[in-house]
Amino acid sequence: MCQSCPGTDARLAALKKKYRGDPAVMAVLQPLDPQVEPMGKDEAKRFCATTRKPEWTK
């Protein structure tokens, strides 16, 4: 997440705004967590420092 997911919160918000008039798309987007990324750079650094990295990144 720390390397590949920055911007996901903003992207989800943009998709929900874009498709707010399409019930089928909103039904798929609605269950997604709007707050995936840590808040702020300091919290993100702490989160990424304590998160176990996948084996393929080593």
Side-chain angles (χ1 to χ4, degrees), residues 2 10 15-17 20 24-25 27 30-31 34 45-46 49 53-54:
C2 295
L15 287 170
K16 285 183 175 182
K17 183 177 179 181
R20 66 180 170 257
V25 174
Q30 199 59 42
K45 282 183 182 180
R46 278 193 301 278
K53 308 294 187 267

Side-chain angles (χ1 to χ4, degrees), residues 1-52:
M1 180 172 115
C2 295
Q3 292 140 357
S4 61
C5 293
T8 57
D9 293 346
R11 182 71 178 133
L12 178 59
L15 287 170
K16 285 183 175 182
K17 183 177 179 181
K18 180 178 181 178
Y19 293 104
R20 66 180 170 257
D22 188 330
V25 174
M26 289 303 293
V28 174
L29 295 177
Q30 199 59 42
L32 299 176
D33 190 351
Q35 184 75 47
V36 174
E37 299 173 51
M39 295 294 290
K41 288 184 180 183
D42 289 337
E43 186 179 332
K45 282 183 182 180
R46 278 193 301 278
F47 175 82
C48 291
T50 60
T51 304
R52 194 179 111 240

